[in-house]
Structures are given as structure tokens and as C-alpha cells.
Amino acid sequence: QTIHVAIVCAGYNASRDVVTLVKSVLFHRRNPLHFHLIADAIAKQILATLFQTWMVPAVRIDFYDADELKSEVSWIPNKHYSGIYGLMKLVLTKTLPSNLERVIVLDTDITFATDIAELWAVFHKFKGQQVLGLVENQSDWYLGNLWKNHRPWPALGRGYNTGVILLLLDKLRKMKWEQMWRLTAERELMSMLSTSLADQDIFNAVIKQNPFLVYQLPCFWNVQLSDHTRSEQCYRDVSDLKVIHWNSPKKLRVKNKHVEFFRNLYLTFLEYDGNLLRRELFGCPSEADVNSENLQKQLSELDEDDLCYEFRRERFTVHRTHLYFLHYEYEPASDNTDVTLVAQLSMDRLQMLEAICKHWEGPISLALYLSDAEAQQFLRYAQGSEVLMSRHNVGYHIVYKEGQFYPVNLLRNVAMKHISTPYMFLSDIDFLPMYGLYEYLRKSVIQLDLANTKKALIVPAFETLRYRLSFPKSKAELLSMLDMGTLFTFRYHVWTKGHAPTNFAKWRTATTPYRVEWEADFEPYVVVRKDCPEYDRRFVGFGWNKVAHIMELDAQEYEFTVLPNAYMIHMPHAPSFDITKFRSNKQYRICLKTLKEEFQQDMSRHYGFAALKYLTAENNS
């Protein structure tokens, strides 16, 4: 039997919170689930991508536009921190499909400690006109004695908490629920002026007049950890607990003598590896999902005995992806010249973020390759950083870890796909752009007519081997540092070919942009229009991931133009795990060579005669 769950979810923070709730439900469940998400545009974008890439069997998701429902409740003044979205549970009878008979409604700050099917079974206990299953409020709020002149809305005794609701939708519709709550709200607002606890005040006012509507749920179905709570009287033993509700703005910092236990339960799901929840339900054939069928087909066509099987498989791995993990705001520039810096990173490069933000004031799109536990560490790190918290134009997209490789090009594609500007600067996390590069690139975009020509603007790359570098403030300063040997052209010691075509000798004296031709193994950092081709996913870990992309730009007849007054500097760091693998593992090198050859064959098939030069250049190099 499918269990239906409705959740109102709006904005970046709620989209993060709801994942922990969903994990706790998935962890214990044995039934197919159908989530009905009343979401704003932000939450819909984030959660649609998350569930699509999560690929959990026997889970269906439907979205309902919360912004369309605003007019239904915007006439009710609400002082609660949930804002207008805190009132939307009132309109579920109207919003959810008319053939849906019953639904469990949950707040996003709920954690399940048991199988949700047990709660679903409680519907069978409803008798007569009972249409709402609710737990008594566990604070003294509705008794009105919390402080002097405290005037709560009318309620039956302590009132009820609406963090967990069982709704018998079909009966509620027949009872004309819509009129019922509206009339009550209008009448009470004449004297109360606004709600303090959003929908909860209105539900309680209706119940006060119609007590027969309620089936009182045992209190372990909604153990409320707000301030002033009496929740400790609700359980004798920890094993009695079924649902925990963090219904205080303080959330995890709330005072309760068992809060340590509750916090640990919550943190378990917060950091739990979501990939483990992809397991099939036992004895419950899930409806075939088109995405997973395609994936199975692609994987079955691979040869498992091929020594490079793991490499080939990675190309088809679907990584769970949480877009916009933190709050994001971007005001489009009126002149259509805006440029987003694009990069990808894992946990060991977090310390570069603040420096990049100080050097680049424009929008940034980052893909972070993390485990669930690391994503929480990242969240704490970002929230503790004044530099990062003061910036709202940085999109942080989490791609969750799976498999043994670092899927570098998938990460780049995720970061590239979610930019809000017409142009992007394809960089790497270890580089600091020169001060003022953002404004300089916006001017260059106009000067070189990037909107109407196929160009890739090259930002020359340099490197330092010093951890404490006084960053050059100008090209003149950079040139004198080059002459003194504190800076080098990038990869000068190990891989000159990667940047040789940039022609650094010419750049030293250049005052106007100049064109360069593609050569084998060229991998500059470029500014392109957002419609440029994606990176090729077959290249994972270290080696050839950028070279292949630049080759494709050349095949599509992009002109490579070097900017005379732009530069970026690579900062030193310990070698990545993948480069170490490349240097030490012969099989890794063999597979990379094979993938390279296959890529070049694909290129000549795709681009025909023009692409033959890539094969000959490779053979000569």
C-alpha cells in the first residue's frame, strides 16, 4: 500500500532540512511512498534534481506550486518565522488531487524514529466525524500564562500541534473545510489581528468550536522540543519515541534533559549516506523508472572483463546532486556582460574559497564533491565564515560521492549548467584570479564582441611554489616577479605543452588581444559563452579532462584569443589523490591512453575531415 505524505517546503534552508526528514522516513519504511511537495520555485528546482538523481525505488514525487497558493492565505497576517508558507497546510484539501483520500502532513523539522506505516495505520482508528489526527501541544502556550498579557488564540485546553497531522481529505471536503476555517479565521482576526503560530492557531480555533473533528494521537507521534515544553512527560522510555519535532527557532540548541539523545538521532540521519537508501523494497516490485532502465541498459552493454571497466562505468554513474545548498541571490546585470567563475572542488580545497571570493566579486558557480557527513562540515565551515556569509552570489552545488574516482568533468558540467549569466570563466579551484579580473573580463566581452562571435578568451596562467605570496597588483609587478623567479608560467617545470600556445613571450609586451592557434595538449583557462559544449564525462580523476574540452572547442571553430592584461596564479597545495594514482598506477595510465584514443576517434567521426589533425598531432607529440 502506498503511503502519501504532504510537506510544505520553500526556500534554500527548508530544502536542506526536508532531506533529513525524508532520509529518516526512507530509512525505516517498508512501503512505497508518494511525497506531495508544496514548493516554491527555488525548492522545486532543488528537490526535483535531488530526487531525480537520488533514484530511490518505490518513491514518487509530485510538486504543487506554493506561489500560486499565496493568494489563498496572504490575507492572514502571520507573525510566525515560517511566514506565508506556514499557512499553506490549511489549503491542502483544495491543492492535493481530488481523488486522494488521506494524507500524512509533516513539517520539515521532523525526524522519524520508526516506520511511517505505523502512523498511517492510525487512520483506521478514526470514528464518526473525526477527520484530523493531532498530538496535543506540549507547551503551555495556549493556556495563556507564559507571560503577562500573553493572549493566545482560542484552543481546546492545551491545544494541538500541527507539525504532524493525519488528514482525511475526502471527509474534510464533504464537510466544507474550506469555508469552515476561513470563517473562523476571519472572525478571530477581528480581535487577534494576526496569527502567532501560523496555521496552528487557525486549526485550533476551528477545533475549539468543533471538538468532534479531532482524533487525539498518542504524544509519541510528535515529541515537541520547543522551549517551555512538557514533552518529557510524554515518554517513559526512549524506545517509545516515534517522531521528534524540533519546533523551536533554536532547533538543536533547545533545552531538554534528553536532548543529547535526540540530537544524536537527528545527526545520524543528517550525515547518513543517502546512497544506502537506494535499496529495493523487499517483495515489492517497484514501477520501472525510465531513468533507471536506461542506466541498466547502458551498464549491461559494458564488458565487465575489460580492464578499464571501472573507468567506463563511472561515465554512467548517476551522482545524487543537491543544487544551491546555501542561500543564493543574483541580480542580472542590465548590460548583458556578466561573467560567472566556474570551478569544482572537494573537501581538501575548502580553504581556497575565501581567497577566491576576495579576488573575484562577481557570481561564482561551484560543484563540491562531498559525502553526506562532509556536506555538513562544509555547511558549518561556510556558516562560520564572514567572507562566505557576506556573499549571496555564490551557488554551491553538492554532488555526493560515489565510486572510486573523482568525476571531475561531471562536476564541471554541474557547475556550468547552473549559471545565471551569459558568459562563464572556466577556472580551477587552486587559482586566484588577478584583482579586478571580473570587471576586466566584462569589458573584454564587449570589446571582442563575444555575443556574436565564437571566441574563447584565454586568461594566461602562472604559478608560484611559495605558500605565502604577495600577490602582484599589476602586470608590471607580475613580470618583475617572473624575472626574479618567484613566479613561473603554469606547469613550466612539468608540462610546458599545456600552455605553450598562449605564447608568454608575446604576452609580456602585448597591449592588445591576439589570436593563437590550437596545438596538441593545449589546456588554457578560458572565458566563453554559456552555450559552449559540455566536458566529456569519460575522463575522470587526473589527465586529459581539460585537453579534450579545448580540442572540442577548436573542432567547433572557436577562435582562441589571449587577453593582454589578464592573469591568474596557481597556488601550491599537496598533490591530489588522483594525480598520485596516475603517477603510481600503470593500469590507470593505460586506461587513460585508451580513453584518449577512443575520444579522438569519436571526434573524427563527429567532426569529419577537420578533426583528423588531432590524430596526427597526437602521433607527432
Side-chain angles (χ1 to χ4, degrees):
Q1 190 186 15
T2 300
I3 293 171
H4 293 268
V5 180
I7 304 167
V8 178
C9 183
Y12 300 98
N13 295 349
S15 302
R16 246 189 357 256
D17 295 339
V18 79
V19 178
T20 311
L21 159 60
V22 168
K23 280 183 183 173
S24 73
V25 172
L26 290 174
F27 181 82
H28 297 101
R29 63 112 182 210
R30 293 195 200 78
N31 293 55
L33 294 169
H34 187 160
F35 287 101
H36 302 266
L37 301 176
I38 294 85
D40 67 347
I42 293 165
K44 182 177 178 181
Q45 183 191 12
I46 295 170
L47 296 172
T49 305
L50 181 73
F51 281 107
Q52 231 169 341
T53 53
W54 201 342
M55 297 176 82
V56 184
V59 167
R60 186 175 154 190
I61 310 288
D62 277 319
F63 289 96
Y64 306 84
D65 187 350
D67 295 325
E68 277 182 18
L69 301 177
K70 278 183 174 173
S71 57
E72 302 272 344
V73 290
S74 57
W75 55 276
I76 305 168
N78 175 27
K79 287 185 186 156
H80 191 253
Y81 63 85
S82 58
I84 191 163
Y85 299 102
L87 295 159
M88 289 188 179
K89 286 184 278 188
L90 293 163
V91 294
L92 290 179
T93 48
K94 213 171 169 181
T95 313
L96 296 175
S98 55
N99 60 350
L100 184 61
E101 291 178 12
R102 53 190 62 180
V103 69
I104 294 173
V105 188
L106 301 173
D107 278 355
T108 55
D109 53 3
I110 290 276
T111 310
F112 264 76
T114 192
D115 188 343
I116 195 167
E118 290 180 40
L119 181 55
W120 187 255
V122 177
F123 273 119
H124 297 308
K125 298 186 176 173
F126 284 30
K127 292 187 177 66
Q129 291 183 292
Q130 291 173 336
V131 285
L132 304 169
L134 291 160
V135 169
E136 188 180 42
N137 209 35
Q138 287 156 18
S139 84
D140 292 348
W141 178 272
Y142 287 110
L143 300 178
N145 56 9
L146 286 184
W147 57 80
K148 202 178 166 195
N149 301 331
H150 170 220
R151 275 193 63 214
W153 275 54
L156 208 59
R158 299 190 160 278
Y160 292 93
N161 182 282
T162 54
V164 176
I165 318 176
L166 275 81
L167 282 188
L168 264 187
L169 295 169
D170 50 348
K171 275 195 169 180
L172 277 163
R173 291 186 191 108
K174 283 182 194 135
M175 279 181 181
K176 302 220 169 17
W177 166 252
E178 192 68 24
Q179 281 166 292
M180 218 180 218
W181 74 259
R182 277 173 188 275
L183 289 170
T184 305
E186 281 167 12
R187 189 185 60 244
E188 294 302 332
L189 282 167
M190 288 167 135
S191 62
M192 295 301 300
L193 306 179
S194 73
T195 60
S196 297
L197 300 182
D199 65 355
Q200 187 167 299
D201 284 339
I202 297 172
F203 270 104
N204 274 299
V206 174
I207 290 164
K208 170 95 186 204
Q209 285 194 291
N210 310 281
F212 54 85
L213 296 178
V214 180
Y215 173 83
Q216 187 167 330
L217 294 171
C219 65
F220 48 63
W221 283 116
N222 181 352
V223 175
Q224 298 144 43
L225 298 183
S226 56
D227 295 338
H228 322 297
T229 181
R230 300 160 67 255
S231 59
E232 288 158 27
Q233 296 172 18
C234 172
Y235 49 87
R236 275 188 279 332
D237 189 342
V238 177
S239 60
D240 297 341
L241 288 171
K242 297 187 185 293
V243 171
I244 295 165
H245 185 187
W246 303 90
N247 60 331
S248 149
K250 293 202 190 95
K251 301 300 175 201
L252 295 190
R253 298 189 306 282
V254 72
K255 291 180 177 58
N256 170 297
K257 68 178 184 212
H258 300 112
V259 77
E260 233 8 72
F261 172 79
F262 297 134
R263 200 183 286 125
N264 288 339
L265 184 78
Y266 173 80
L267 293 175
T268 301
F269 291 116
L270 192 66
E271 302 192 348
Y272 187 81
D273 181 353
N275 299 333
L276 301 176
L277 298 165
R278 283 173 169 164
R279 56 176 188 248
E280 290 285 342
L281 289 187
F282 189 66
C284 188
S286 57
E287 292 172 31
D289 176 334
V290 181
N291 292 343
S292 61
E293 276 188 351
N294 288 345
L295 181 62
Q296 290 311 320
K297 186 171 176 292
Q298 287 167 329
L299 291 176
S300 65
E301 286 165 5
L302 296 179
D303 174 9
E304 291 197 28
D305 297 330
D306 175 358
L307 290 172
C308 302
Y309 171 76
E310 289 299 332
F311 277 83
R312 297 182 195 286
R313 191 198 151 91
E314 172 54 47
R315 185 180 179 179
F316 300 114
T317 300
V318 179
H319 289 267
R320 187 166 37 110
T321 303
H322 188 133
L323 303 175
Y324 301 105
F325 198 65
L326 297 179
H327 184 80
Y328 177 76
E329 266 172 60
Y330 169 73
E331 281 294 318
S334 53
D335 60 359
N336 266 343
T337 63
D338 216 350
V339 185
T340 301
L341 185 149
V342 170
Q344 39 71 38
L345 65 150
S346 52
M347 205 61 188
D348 57 348
R349 298 287 195 274
L350 272 192
Q351 70 286 352
M352 284 299 294
L353 293 181
E354 288 191 351
I356 288 173
C357 284
K358 286 175 183 167
H359 280 245
W360 176 274
E361 60 278 24
I364 302 176
S365 180
L366 299 169
L368 297 92
Y369 193 53
L370 307 173
S371 66
D372 290 76
E374 286 172 338
Q376 293 310 312
Q377 281 175 280
F378 159 68
L379 180 61
R380 289 192 291 273
Y381 173 81
Q383 288 174 338
S385 157
E386 272 180 49
V387 176
L388 301 188
M389 281 294 101
S390 65
R391 289 287 291 269
H392 296 299
N393 61 352
V394 182
Y396 298 96
H397 312 298
I398 310 273
V399 175
Y400 284 101
K401 281 183 175 177
E402 192 171 348
Q404 56 166 319
F405 296 106
Y406 183 76
V408 59
N409 281 355
L410 165 71
L411 296 171
R412 289 193 173 115
N413 291 342
V414 167
M416 263 168 58
K417 197 173 164 187
H418 297 100
I419 66 167
S420 334
T421 61
Y423 306 99
M424 52 192 178
F425 169 33
L426 305 176
S427 184
D428 262 340
I429 200 70
D430 302 317
F431 278 92
L432 288 182
M434 71 175 199
Y435 291 109
L437 182 64
Y438 171 59
E439 287 303 332
Y440 176 65
L441 292 182
R442 290 181 67 170
K443 289 192 182 87
S444 306
V445 157
I446 300 172
Q447 188 193 344
L448 295 161
D449 193 22
L450 219 61
N452 305 304
T453 54
K454 253 189 173 178
K455 286 195 181 83
L457 311 185
I458 294 172
V459 176
F462 298 87
E463 72 177 327
T464 175
L465 304 175
R466 301 186 174 195
Y467 279 88
R468 297 184 70 89
L469 173 80
S470 80
F471 201 90
K473 301 276 189 295
S474 64
K475 179 173 175 176
E477 211 176 300
L478 176 116
L479 292 174
S480 74
M481 288 169 84
L482 267 178
D483 294 339
M484 281 161 45
T486 46
L487 281 182
F488 305 92
T489 56
F490 185 53
R491 292 276 180 265
Y492 168 78
H493 301 85
V494 283
W495 184 244
T496 337
K497 290 159 73 173
H499 294 265
T502 301
N503 192 344
F504 288 101
K506 181 170 184 174
W507 184 81
R508 290 183 75 104
T509 55
T511 53
T512 53
Y514 58 91
R515 192 173 165 181
V516 295
E517 293 300 323
W518 175 89
E519 288 174 33
D521 298 315
F522 193 25
E523 49 175 7
Y525 293 94
V526 294
V527 178
V528 284
R529 285 201 309 249
K530 77 185 288 185
D531 61 0
C532 100
E534 286 198 321
Y535 286 83
D536 193 297
R537 268 197 71 181
R538 82 186 83 194
F539 297 106
V540 292
F542 174 78
W544 249 65
N545 47 66
K546 278 199 305 293
V547 174
H549 188 243
I550 295 295
M551 193 185 277
E552 186 139 2
L553 293 186
D554 184 62
Q556 290 196 13
E557 299 179 342
Y558 275 71
E559 264 179 43
F560 294 106
T561 302
V562 181
L563 296 171
N565 292 312
Y567 55 88
M568 58 199 293
I569 300 178
H570 182 269
M571 306 312 278
H573 57 79
S576 69
F577 180 59
D578 286 287
I579 195 167
T580 319
K581 232 195 278 191
F582 176 76
R583 287 172 182 158
S584 62
N585 183 330
K586 190 176 172 206
Q587 190 57 45
Y588 194 101
R589 293 197 299 279
I590 291 168
C591 288
L592 186 60
K593 189 168 185 290
T594 309
L595 293 174
K596 227 157 100 167
E597 286 160 5
E598 288 170 9
F599 173 76
Q600 286 162 324
Q601 286 158 8
D602 287 352
M603 288 282 284
S604 45
R605 267 199 295 277
H606 193 178
Y607 296 106
F609 184 69
L612 287 176
K613 68 173 178 183
Y614 304 123
L615 291 168
T616 50
E618 182 61 26
N619 295 338
N620 297 339
S621 72

